[in-house]
Amino acid sequence: MDLAKRLDRPVVLVGLMGVGKSTVGRRLARRLGLPFVDSDAEIEEAVGLPWGELFERYGEQDYRDGERRLVARLVDGQVKVIATGGGVFVDPRTRELLKEKTITVWLDAPVDVLAERTSRRDTRPLLKNGDPKGTLERLAEIERKAYAEAHLHVKSGVGAHREVVEAIVDALDKHLANGGGKAA
């Protein structure tokens, strides 16, 4: 596809847990004919444990440190689509790295949608507190400012994943047409 040929850097999906970064990322990569990488899956493969267990066992700070190192490796090299964990873009050092070396896309969905989606599986350590919707509301309030620094902002919700993919494709096309994506 022409759009993929115009990309000179990875496209990175950021946003709160449950917004669909992995699912949409796979579909976006397929639509663009690019490789897809999920940072959480890469962490699991590197360490040999599920990311949720790593998070619980070593704590958020150690997890985020390892995540930052992994993301730095993922953004070097070929153009690809990368889905990140929910907290990746909140870390200031990782956010600056991603803004410099990639095109970041904030996938944004209402908290009610996120609460419904994340309730389907019990794999998210931050939501194992008896009030997952309240936790998501607090995270959304805190993290929204960081996500707003992404190059692109695409709304997600209850619609089909293909609609979100097409919205990202349109946003990328406009971004590149306006000179975005080229190294500074």
Side-chain angles (χ1 to χ4, degrees), residues 40-176:
D40 286 341
E42 291 291 313
I43 289 171
E44 289 178 357
E45 186 176 316
V47 180
L49 292 171
W51 72 266
E53 188 176 328
L54 284 167
F55 194 97
E56 288 176 338
R57 186 181 291 187
Y58 298 104
E60 185 170 4
Q61 187 58 50
D62 284 349
Y63 182 85
R64 297 291 177 217
D65 288 343
E67 187 176 55
R68 181 182 318 104
R69 290 189 301 273
L70 174 82
V71 167
R73 287 194 306 271
L74 291 178
V75 300
D76 281 339
Q78 73 184 112
V79 175
K80 60 184 138 296
V81 175
I82 303 170
T84 62
V88 165
F89 205 64
V90 177
D91 177 84
R93 290 183 289 176
T94 307
R95 183 170 59 251
E96 288 309 311
L97 171 77
L98 291 175
K99 286 169 38 182
E100 178 185 321
K101 294 191 169 215
T102 74
I103 299 173
T104 52
V105 180
W106 172 23
L107 291 184
D108 187 14
V111 170
D112 287 340
V113 171
L114 300 176
E116 190 279 320
R117 288 180 184 168
T118 57
S119 71
R120 297 176 193 162
R121 291 184 295 160
D122 187 25
T123 60
R124 301 173 193 272
L126 291 175
L127 299 183
K128 293 182 179 181
N129 63 2
D131 184 18
K133 184 177 179 190
T135 299
L136 286 165
E137 287 170 344
R138 284 187 297 282
L139 287 171
E141 182 68 30
I142 293 165
E143 297 178 0
R144 179 174 266 304
K145 190 172 185 175
Y147 294 137
E149 292 184 33
H151 296 105
L152 306 173
H153 182 189
V154 174
K155 298 278 188 177
S156 177
V158 296
H161 291 301
R162 74 177 176 281
E163 293 170 9
V164 178
V165 168
E166 290 309 313
I168 295 170
V169 167
D170 289 344
L172 283 169
D173 188 46
K174 289 175 185 160
H175 182 71
L176 294 173

Side-chain angles (χ1 to χ4, degrees), residues 10-31:
V11 175
V12 176
L13 304 182
V14 301
L16 281 169
M17 63 181 93
V19 77
K21 297 178 298 286
S22 297
T23 303
V24 169
R26 276 187 204 84
R27 291 173 182 238
L28 178 64
R30 194 168 34 249
R31 168 81 162 73

